[in-house]
Amino acid sequence: MAYSGEEALGLVETRGMVPAIQAVDVMCKAADVVLVSYENMGSGLVTVMVKGDVAAVRSAVEKGAAAAAAIGEMVAAHVIPRPISRVGKIVSRHDIDN
């Protein structure tokens, strides 16, 4: 899903793919957000990114981080309410549709 930086961006980073998939599943079911991309960072770290309006992304990240922590290691979670457009270019490099 393309991301241009116009919506809030939510990130959850886990150690391992299973907690990352759990986080995305919960985030997309808990709020009106869309999966933008994921990235294997190395050393087992996986970052998943969602977009949507600020309130939805905040809620989704909170619930997704809790879900990831319940079954594995949740490393970091963060919401960027209105990132600059250049952030969109970075995120789009790892677009799930590419």
Side-chain angles (χ1 to χ4, degrees):
M1 178 62 60
Y3 180 73
S4 60
E6 297 166 354
E7 297 172 281
L9 179 66
L11 303 96
V12 174
E13 187 167 83
T14 66
R15 186 165 309 279
M17 184 63 81
V18 173
I21 291 171
Q22 176 69 7
V24 167
D25 184 55
V26 168
M27 287 192 286
C28 290
K29 289 176 179 175
D32 187 19
V33 296
V34 176
L35 175 63
V36 174
S37 67
Y38 76 96
E39 183 173 356
N40 291 312
M41 304 299 291
S43 299
L45 296 177
V46 180
T47 303
V48 292
M49 299 169 233
V50 297
K51 70 177 183 176
D53 69 60
V54 176
V57 171
R58 283 189 200 278
S59 176
V61 167
E62 181 180 302
K63 290 176 179 155
I71 66 164
E73 184 179 346
M74 201 287 296
V75 177
H78 188 63
V79 173
I80 305 173
R82 285 179 299 192
I84 62 171
S85 61
R86 290 186 181 179
V87 170
K89 291 179 183 177
I90 294 168
V91 171
S92 292
R93 274 193 42 213
H94 304 285
D95 186 340
I96 61 168
D97 292 336
N98 288 334

